[in-house]
Amino acid sequence: MAQDTARQALPTPPPAPARALLPLILPALAVGVGSSLLYLVVSSLAERLQHVLWNNLPDALGIGRYSVLWMLVMLTATGVAVGLVVWKVPGHAGPDPATLGLEAVAMPPVVLPGLLLATVLMLAGGPSLGPENPIIAVNVGLALWLGRLAMPRMPGSLWPALADAATLGALFGTPVAAALVISEALAGKPLKGALWDNLFGPLMAAGAGALTTALVARPALDLGLPAVGRLRWTDLLTALVIAPVAALLGMLAVYAFPYVHGAFRRLGHPMVALPAGGVVLGLLGALGGHLTLFKGLDEVAELAKDPGGWSAGQFAVMTVVKLAALLVAAACGFRGGRIFPSVFIGAALGLCAHALVPAVQPSVGVAAGVLGMLLAITRQGWVSLFTAAVLVASPTILALLCIASLPAWMLVTGRPKMQLRADGTALR
């Protein structure tokens, strides 16, 4: 009897880790597939609308598809359309995007339709932003709302983590990017259990999201650049020069961001600030050409098909114009992310280096340029390294980029981020 009493007094042992992880499988798979499908639907709608706006409509009107006139008209009209959404649609398409980073932010369900509409209009209309930030925000909001309804006993913090990882997996077509970002976010935080126990649910969601994207859309980040063979000492020198130069160029935009944002903010109303931003973006498009429009991923693939098809001066103009377009689009209120435009900027800079010095391998120049630019704009080390390596699809490039990331990171760490506080001051 005493032994029975003693057994009852002992604390109940915690469940085995494997048993604790089993309930995560179904939510992770559901969130992963759902997040990917939403991303693909938004991308498909934006692409179809883009085809209508930039091909069918100008052809019907007898206007050049990418003429100066049409770029000014379309970018201004996009500013008006997004301005109307921000002004009139319930939720106002979320908070000021200049105050948001890549991290998941749970928004109320009423905000999400307007944010989706503003994102589709932006992607189709030509501003230099990508879909990542708003898609992550929408997926996080939906996962949190639906997850609490379907499984109220699950912890509320689970759903944003799953949706964030799932969307990153869907965007990059691989769960590795999500795992790296989450590992970086967990650094320095007290963890219960092993790291892989904490990564189990998000990694499964990221895998489900990546696999869904791969099966439905078959995306490829590989630009088809010439493969990097045996590395040379000149390749190391190239990477050590281009990555810090790209980081410094990106930091110019970061330091200018609060001032440009403040100028648009003083206009006082989204129906003034966004159309004004559209006019500026139209002028920049006229200066840099149609390849400097849109999120930049398809456009950078076009550059990579023919690295010798443009002069060093033309690459330099596209680099500067695209960076200015990213700065204006992010500051005036368009809803979008900065990763894909930064990829274009870094790639154009790397190809400019190749055009100036033919000994610079295009793949090395592009990878180093993308690495430095992403480090400055996103301040996400793993995402920057992973994206730069994946673009050239060469195993030998990774060691080179790891070395090149060190001087570039020294230039950006501790500096202001391309993200603002509510009062308009820069974050560090």
Side-chain angles (χ1 to χ4, degrees):
M1 192 73 169
Q3 290 180 350
D4 293 340
T5 305
R7 288 194 191 99
Q8 292 175 3
L10 291 174
T12 303
R19 187 175 178 182
L21 296 177
L22 282 174
L24 299 178
I25 294 177
L26 185 58
L29 291 175
V31 172
V33 174
S35 297
S36 175
L37 291 177
L38 180 64
Y39 162 62
L40 293 174
V41 168
V42 169
S43 297
S44 178
L45 288 174
E47 288 172 3
R48 294 187 180 193
L49 181 58
Q50 177 183 330
H51 185 78
V52 171
L53 296 177
W54 291 91
N55 294 318
N56 297 348
L57 191 54
D59 288 350
L61 296 174
I63 301 174
R65 293 181 177 181
Y66 294 104
S67 63
V68 172
L69 173 61
W70 194 246
M71 283 191 280
L72 279 170
V73 168
M74 280 310 309
L75 269 300
T76 305
T78 301
V80 172
V82 176
L84 282 171
V85 173
V86 175
W87 180 28
K88 290 294 187 181
V89 173
H92 306 290
D96 183 352
T99 64
L100 303 177
L102 197 60
E103 299 82 9
V105 177
M107 298 182 185
V110 69
V111 175
L112 305 184
L115 182 55
L116 279 176
L117 179 57
T119 302
V120 171
L121 292 172
M122 182 280 298
L123 290 172
S128 293
L129 293 172
E132 58 273 16
N133 288 30
I135 293 297
I136 289 174
V138 171
N139 278 334
V140 165
L142 284 175
L144 185 60
W145 177 49
L146 295 174
R148 283 175 170 172
L149 289 176
M151 297 182 173
R153 294 186 178 181
M154 300 295 287
S157 60
L158 171 68
W159 305 107
L162 294 181
D164 199 358
T167 310
L168 287 171
L171 284 164
F172 289 97
T174 170
V176 176
L180 294 175
V181 172
I182 296 167
S183 299
E184 189 172 10
L186 291 175
K189 294 183 179 180
L191 299 179
K192 295 181 180 180
L195 174 63
W196 276 94
D197 289 343
N198 289 273
L199 288 176
F200 182 85
L203 192 57
M204 178 162 288
L211 189 58
T212 302
T213 300
L215 291 173
V216 175
R218 302 183 183 276
L221 290 178
D222 181 8
L223 298 179
L225 288 164
V228 179
R230 183 177 179 180
L231 292 178
R232 305 166 299 180
W233 288 107
T234 53
D235 295 328
L236 177 60
L237 178 61
T238 294
L240 287 173
V241 171
I242 294 178
V245 168
L248 287 173
L249 185 62
M251 287 306 299
L252 292 178
V254 171
Y255 277 108
F257 189 51
Y259 300 100
V260 178
H261 178 266
F264 282 107
R265 194 175 187 177
R266 282 192 289 273
L267 296 177
H269 198 282
M271 281 303 294
V272 180
L274 281 158
V279 171
V280 177
L281 291 174
L283 294 173
L284 287 170
L287 179 63
H290 73 278
L291 290 179
T292 59
L293 301 177
F294 307 106
K295 65 182 179 183
L297 203 57
D298 294 334
E299 290 71 26
V300 76
E302 188 170 339
L303 289 183
K305 287 179 182 177
D306 186 15
W310 290 267
S311 67
Q314 289 173 312
F315 280 126
V317 168
M318 285 190 281
T319 300
V320 174
V321 167
K322 188 69 172 181
L323 184 62
L326 169 60
L327 177 60
V328 171
C332 72
F334 284 109
R335 273 54 179 168
R338 299 154 201 167
I339 291 179
F340 292 153
S342 298
V343 168
F344 181 97
I345 298 163
L349 179 65
L351 292 173
C352 177
H354 168 69
L356 283 172
V357 184
V360 172
Q361 293 194 63
S363 296
V364 175
V366 166
V370 169
L371 172 66
M373 186 59 58
L374 283 175
L375 284 174
I377 298 298
T378 70
R379 214 59 55 85
Q380 296 275 348
W382 282 121
V383 167
S384 304
L385 188 62
F386 172 81
T387 305
V390 168
L391 287 174
V392 299
S394 178
T396 57
I397 201 73
L398 191 56
L400 198 65
L401 293 177
C402 287
I403 300 299
S405 68
L406 301 180
W409 181 254
M410 290 177 65
L411 292 171
V412 304
T413 186
R415 310 283 182 184
K417 299 180 180 180
M418 200 172 184
Q419 183 179 348
L420 305 179
R421 299 184 180 91
D423 61 0
T425 58
L427 284 171
R428 286 183 180 269

